[in-house]
Amino acid sequence: MIELTINGRPVELSEGATLLDAARKAGIHVPTLCHYPGLPSHSVCRMCLVEVEGEKKPQPACTTLAKQGDVVETDSESLQAFRRSNGEWLLARHPNDCMRCEVNGTCRLQRLVAENQWEEHWEEVPPGSRDHPEHVSSDHTSPSIWRDLSKCIECGLCAEACGEAGQQQYVIGFAERGDERLPVTVFDAPLSETNCISCGQCTLVCPVGALVEAPHWHDVLNVLDSRKRVSVVQVAPATRIAISEEFGMKPGTVSTGRLINALRALGFDYVFDTNFTADLTIMEEGSELLARLEAGTRLPLFTSCCPGWVNWIELNRPDLLAHLSTTKSPQQMHGAMTKRGNFARSLGPEFSDGKAEPYVVSVMPCTAKKDEARRPGMSGDVDHVLTTRELARMIRSRDIAFGALDEDGSFDNPLGESTGAAQIFGASGGVMEAMVRTAAHLKGLEDQIPLEWQQLRGVHDAVKTASIPGVGTVAVCNGIAAAQRMLETDDWRTEFVAIEVMACSGGCLGGGGEPKSMDPDVLKKRSKAIYDMDARAPRRRSYENTDVRKLYETQLEKPNSAAAHHLLHTHYSGRASKRSMLMRFLDCVDRREAGEAASLFHPDGVWSTASPFGDIQGAENIESFIRTQLPPREYAARYLRHQMASAADNEDLTVVTPDGQRCRFTLELCPANDGHRSSTLIKTLHRQVL
């Protein structure tokens, strides 16, 4: 142990602790902008400089190791003067746009300015390079993440979160030097044209508003305020725990009832539990695993609940698409069942006749869920996705006293019942543990296999494994970096029968849309809360969900039936492939998004329809054809989509049309010629009826 004195207070620390650790243990506030628990500190912002007796210069508290006998001063007049000057210099490089900023009220720079009443004394200096002004400063192309580098303070946390110490995706890195350096993408490509998997860890660590989740909450409020549509919201398990932190409660505080009551106060007509379809997901995925085990093909099965992981495979390893479970995530299952199942029919004739559909919002701990809601074949089932942080902004904007709300709220049925197995979906290893519980039941082994699998739990182990009697050995990859390392060899092909991957460390509890926390143990506290909820649940296996059973009896027949596949399963394709372009185009046609469909074509592109309409040449004519010649889109159960004949064969362009006809497409692609190397357009699209 090390003993030192900080601001006259004695402190005892373990070897390897920093002076910042010492200050916090002593209850002394030392400001910092570039420090984040779990990521390397580089003392970039210099806000945490402290004076150490015997040292000629102030030392950065975040990187200076504490030594025996240190005498430290954190708030001398000279340190306060330096912080003021440093903060005012940051203000000179920062736009005065707080009222419109997405992180207004939670921005760490804004908090420092307000606490210390710093003023604007420096001449305004735009960030970035004067010699290379071509660096993109504003980028809203990603459906999940927005960038505004005019607000960047060059702390480096986004590059760390995306780099070696974090996700190891290396999408964001630094260009230029000194006060001109900026975090940019490779070749300044728009984020949507990089290998970004939309995990949002960069938004989680950004101390200002330079990187934020694509904001949907403004649009959601507008719809709720108008009261013109029947509105439905579904809530993920990780959100009901983490949202408590947004309102000053301890990490791990469960606020299910308060959250439900807040959503009703915001104006939602129905509040459903995403855990309902987490149970449904397990029924489908567990059955899919057993079917693959029996057939001995496409093993191991990869879970498909995490859209960041699915994005990674489609971007980097399309050769592994066949291993992905075709089961939709709980979010997308819930959207499909809400809009196109019996619930929509129950809302009245307009809905049952396909003339209207409910407005569906999901509240998720994940930024990649925004991306997922726009995937071909699923687009439109969820209208808007809110992160946990966004929902907190909504609640505050309507002056709802969250902490004072009753904790007696309950979810609506029939899409609200859930089991303990669904609760643990939010934790790394939870999906696999839930699947093992149901797979054991389906094989008649539930009395011979433990209910809880501690080997699959934990927020820090990179890869966790367990041998399941009668099933085989399964693995859990905690974070996308762990999955990448596992896939570097082919050992996983023979070692495991099923593999869960969550792109974010800790699973959904550590998702990119969760509250920003400086507590290094926050994931442990959230995880404990979610497993405690499971332990207290009256039913802890997904097949025990009575409403899920009724759903199979009345609509879906049985797990993995044709009816279940129609609503609850999906298709995959390698990014920038012909199959991907075809799926995007057909999705636009199904939704009658004429302009979006035409934007996928070269201006002189040709669509050979193999119908009485013949060949349609030119993007403008294609847009006009979809807009004026195709029958209007119907909704609810009457909304039908094109389906790929193969779930994951990247070379198969065979399609089943909404009326059951089989046809095959051939495509010719060409560069978009807009300066971005990854952009392609359709030059010719030929349809052949089989």
Side-chain angles (χ1 to χ4, degrees):
M1 299 296 288
I2 298 171
E3 294 182 354
L4 68 152
T5 302
I6 182 165
N7 288 3
R9 291 171 173 254
V11 179
E12 193 174 77
L13 293 165
S14 301
E15 290 277 353
T18 65
L19 294 180
L20 184 60
D21 295 328
R24 290 179 173 171
K25 186 170 184 180
I28 296 169
H29 175 68
V30 174
T32 179
L33 290 172
C34 67
H35 172 75
Y36 196 88
L39 293 179
S41 293
H42 299 292
S43 59
V44 176
C45 73
R46 315 304 283 179
M47 284 292 176
C48 69
L49 290 183
V50 296
E51 293 172 349
V52 182
E53 191 174 275
E55 298 287 346
K56 293 181 179 180
K57 296 180 180 180
Q59 302 298 308
C62 65
T63 56
T64 303
L65 295 180
K67 302 189 301 296
Q68 179 69 29
D70 274 344
V71 177
V72 183
E73 177 75 18
T74 70
D75 64 345
S76 67
E77 288 187 11
S78 60
L79 286 174
Q80 292 185 41
F82 171 78
R83 287 175 189 147
R84 182 183 303 110
S85 179
N86 192 21
E88 290 171 351
W89 180 78
L90 285 175
L91 279 178
R93 295 166 55 83
H94 205 80
N96 187 9
D97 195 32
C98 292
M99 290 182 68
R100 288 183 294 271
C101 185
E102 282 300 312
V103 297
N104 183 22
T106 59
C107 171
R108 287 159 65 187
L109 176 60
Q110 183 188 46
R111 191 179 308 154
L112 275 175
V113 173
E115 287 173 357
N116 296 281
Q117 291 297 289
W118 291 332
E119 299 178 358
E120 298 182 49
H121 284 159
W122 293 74
E123 182 180 351
E124 184 176 345
V125 180
S129 172
R130 269 72 75 186
D131 296 329
H132 298 283
E134 69 273 11
H135 291 309
V136 177
S137 62
S138 180
D139 175 15
H140 294 176
T141 60
S142 166
S144 299
I145 298 167
W146 282 10
R147 295 191 300 153
D148 184 354
L149 298 189
S150 69
K151 300 174 182 176
C152 180
I153 59 171
E154 299 91 44
C155 67
L157 288 174
C158 59
E160 291 289 356
C162 194
E164 182 64 28
Q167 301 292 72
Q168 298 182 10
Q169 300 306 296
Y170 306 101
V171 173
I172 298 175
F174 274 102
E176 312 305 336
R177 293 176 178 272
D179 65 357
E180 293 187 349
R181 80 173 194 157
L182 276 178
V184 299
T185 60
V186 177
F187 299 112
D188 275 305
L191 206 56
S192 61
E193 296 182 11
T194 68
N195 276 10
C196 174
I197 62 173
S198 297
C199 70
Q201 289 298 303
C202 57
T203 72
L204 185 65
V205 302
C206 180
V208 290
L211 286 155
V212 299
E213 63 270 59
H216 291 180
W217 68 278
H218 311 280
D219 295 329
V220 174
L221 270 183
N222 287 336
V223 174
L224 295 179
D225 288 347
S226 72
R227 298 295 191 269
K228 292 181 179 179
R229 297 184 64 181
V230 174
S231 58
V232 176
V233 64
Q234 54 165 306
V235 185
T239 293
R240 67 202 64 181
I241 295 171
I243 196 168
S244 308
E245 298 164 34
E246 288 280 346
F247 299 96
M249 302 179 195
K250 293 181 179 179
T253 302
V254 179
S255 290
T256 306
R258 281 185 288 267
L259 178 56
I260 293 169
N261 287 328
L263 291 166
R264 296 198 194 283
L266 285 169
F268 284 103
D269 297 311
Y270 295 90
V271 182
F272 288 138
D273 192 351
T274 308
N275 283 349
F276 170 80
T277 40
D279 281 331
L280 193 59
T281 296
I282 287 302
M283 295 301 295
E284 292 296 315
E285 202 164 58
S287 299
E288 186 179 4
L289 171 62
L290 295 183
R292 292 194 188 192
L293 284 170
E294 185 176 344
T297 59
R298 295 180 294 153
L299 291 171
L301 174 101
F302 289 139
T303 60
S304 56
C305 299
C306 173
W309 161 236
V310 174
N311 287 341
W312 188 89
I313 285 191
E314 290 189 332
L315 284 162
N316 299 286
R317 292 293 301 272
D319 58 302
L320 302 182
L321 289 174
H323 288 276
L324 274 174
S325 167
T326 62
T327 304
K328 291 179 181 177
S329 73
Q331 169 183 272
Q332 294 304 131
M333 276 195 183
H334 210 296
M337 295 309 305
T338 303
K339 284 201 173 186
R340 297 192 280 145
N342 286 344
F343 170 76
R345 296 187 185 96
S346 72
L347 295 177
E350 190 177 17
F351 294 88
S352 59
D353 292 343
K355 305 302 181 185
E357 63 181 8
Y359 175 68
V360 176
V361 176
S362 67
V363 183
M364 296 285 142
C366 173
T367 54
K369 289 294 182 182
K370 295 174 181 284
D371 180 310
E372 181 183 61
R374 295 177 55 176
R375 287 181 63 87
M378 297 193 291
S379 180
D381 286 348
V382 175
D383 293 288
H384 282 109
V385 178
L386 302 175
T387 63
T388 307
R389 296 193 298 264
E390 283 183 278
L391 179 59
R393 292 172 206 152
M394 285 179 66
I395 293 170
R396 282 191 287 265
S397 75
R398 288 295 182 261
D399 294 323
I400 297 170
F402 186 84
L405 294 174
D406 290 334
E407 182 56 18
D408 62 352
S410 58
F411 290 108
D412 291 310
N413 282 323
L415 304 177
E417 181 183 341
S418 65
T419 68
Q423 300 285 3
I424 62 177
F425 254 61
S428 171
V431 175
M432 185 61 69
E433 185 172 349
M435 185 159 63
V436 165
R437 294 178 186 180
T438 288
H441 164 73
L442 295 174
K443 289 183 70 70
L445 300 172
E446 66 264 41
D447 295 331
Q448 305 170 39
I449 293 180
L451 185 65
E452 296 182 353
W453 288 86
Q454 300 296 329
Q455 306 98 305
L456 300 176
R457 299 182 179 184
V459 298
H460 296 302
D461 295 330
V463 178
K464 299 164 281 191
T465 64
S467 295
I468 314 301
V471 177
T473 302
V474 301
V476 171
C477 294
N478 183 26
I480 195 66
Q484 289 178 165
R485 289 192 294 272
M486 183 189 68
L487 294 173
E488 287 175 354
T489 70
D490 281 344
D491 294 345
W492 56 272
R493 295 181 184 273
T494 54
E495 288 183 8
F496 308 116
V497 297
I499 300 172
E500 175 200 309
V501 179
M502 290 292 172
C504 299
S505 181
C508 300
L509 293 172
E514 290 284 74
K516 301 182 181 186
S517 175
M518 300 302 287
D519 184 345
D521 295 321
V522 68
L523 292 182
K524 290 182 180 179
K525 295 172 182 177
R526 293 174 184 171
S527 180
K528 181 181 184 304
I530 215 164
Y531 283 112
D532 286 347
M533 292 169 68
D534 167 46
R536 293 193 303 267
R539 290 183 290 274
R540 301 181 64 188
R541 298 177 176 91
S542 294
Y543 63 86
E544 296 172 342
N545 188 320
T546 56
D547 280 346
V548 166
R549 290 180 179 178
K550 291 177 184 176
L551 187 62
Y552 280 113
E553 293 170 1
T554 58
Q555 290 185 69
L556 303 177
E557 299 173 8
K558 62 180 182 179
N560 277 240
S561 67
H565 265 268
H566 177 68
L567 284 174
L568 308 181
H569 290 252
T570 188
H571 305 90
Y572 305 109
S573 68
R575 298 294 172 88
S577 66
K578 292 182 177 180
R579 178 180 168 99
S580 174
M581 292 296 289
L582 176 62
M583 289 172 63
R584 290 171 61 191
F585 174 69
L586 294 177
D587 184 68
C588 292
V589 171
D590 291 338
R591 292 184 289 112
R592 302 299 190 265
E593 294 289 346
E596 190 176 342
S599 70
L600 299 175
F601 272 82
H602 185 276
D604 297 322
V606 177
W607 176 16
S608 296
T609 66
S611 73
F613 295 104
D615 294 352
I616 305 171
Q617 182 165 2
E620 289 186 0
N621 292 329
I622 291 171
E623 179 177 359
S624 176
F625 171 76
I626 296 172
R627 196 182 306 279
T628 62
Q629 298 299 314
L630 294 183
R633 172 192 165 183
E634 293 189 290
Y635 297 92
R638 297 196 179 188
Y639 174 49
L640 301 176
R641 288 187 168 107
H642 287 81
Q643 298 280 330
M644 302 303 294
S646 167
D649 186 343
N650 211 38
E651 304 302 319
D652 190 352
L653 302 184
T654 306
V655 172
V656 180
T657 66
D659 60 4
Q661 189 179 55
R662 290 177 66 87
C663 55
R664 182 176 294 120
F665 287 85
T666 56
L667 289 82
E668 181 183 1
L669 304 180
C670 63
N673 295 323
D674 61 356
H676 300 304
R677 302 186 308 167
S678 61
S679 295
T680 57
L681 295 173
I682 301 173
K683 187 174 182 181
T684 61
L685 176 63
H686 293 275
R687 175 173 173 263
Q688 176 189 4
V689 178
L690 300 179

